[in-house]
């Protein structure tokens, strides 16, 4: 498939239009991601401290990466907590009266 026949979608980031190659079945995800990124960029731009689009994009990317890493850390902690609870439950069930040798 040549570049000119690849499916594309138009997104808007900080009031600028971009045409991005995207399979039709991924359009909704890309649009959602673009809206999220645009909100992050708009928030940084609105603070007035960073005006260059490239720097705004970098700051937004760093903020989003930080959110992702924090979410992953929380998920790992939750999974660890569930694993510990599961082990305690299994031990309690194994030690319960009437379960010996069952």
């Amino acid at each position: 498939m040549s570049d000119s026949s690849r499916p594309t979608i138009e997104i808007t980031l900080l009031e600028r239009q971009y045409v991005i190659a995207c399979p039709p079945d991924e359009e909704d995800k890309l649009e959602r991601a673009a809206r999220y990124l645009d909100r992050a960029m708009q928030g940084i731009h609105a603070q007035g401290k960073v005006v260059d689009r490239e720097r705004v994009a970098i700051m937004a990317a760093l903020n989003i990466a930080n959110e992702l890493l924090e979410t992953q850390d929380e998920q790992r902690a939750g999974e660890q907590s569930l694993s510990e609870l599961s082990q305690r439950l299994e031990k309690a069930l194994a030690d319960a009266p009437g379960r010996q040798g069952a």
Side-chain angles (χ1 to χ4, degrees):
M1 183 180 289
S2 69
D3 285 346
S4 62
S5 64
R6 291 177 68 189
T8 61
I9 186 170
E10 188 172 291
I11 62 168
T12 303
L13 299 173
L14 208 56
E15 300 174 3
R16 181 179 281 177
Q17 304 291 320
Y18 297 89
V19 176
I20 307 292
C22 179
D25 60 332
E26 296 288 320
E27 286 181 8
D28 290 341
K29 290 179 186 177
L30 178 59
E31 288 174 344
R32 183 175 177 218
R35 283 191 306 273
Y36 191 87
L37 177 56
D38 185 54
R39 282 192 303 272
M41 291 176 70
Q42 293 286 351
I44 291 167
H45 189 264
Q47 293 175 3
K49 297 177 183 173
V50 182
V51 293
D52 178 62
R53 286 180 192 275
E54 183 177 330
R55 289 184 185 269
V56 169
I58 290 169
M59 292 301 299
L62 287 170
N63 288 341
I64 292 169
N66 185 56
E67 290 174 10
L68 172 64
L69 292 173
E70 286 179 352
T71 300
Q72 288 176 337
D73 289 346
E74 290 170 5
Q75 181 178 0
R76 281 188 202 103
E79 289 170 355
Q80 179 65 32
S81 178
L82 284 174
S83 177
E84 290 169 4
L85 286 171
S86 178
Q87 289 173 3
R88 287 176 53 198
L89 179 59
E90 287 176 16
K91 183 177 181 338
L93 288 173
D95 294 345
R99 299 281 295 173
Q100 306 298 345

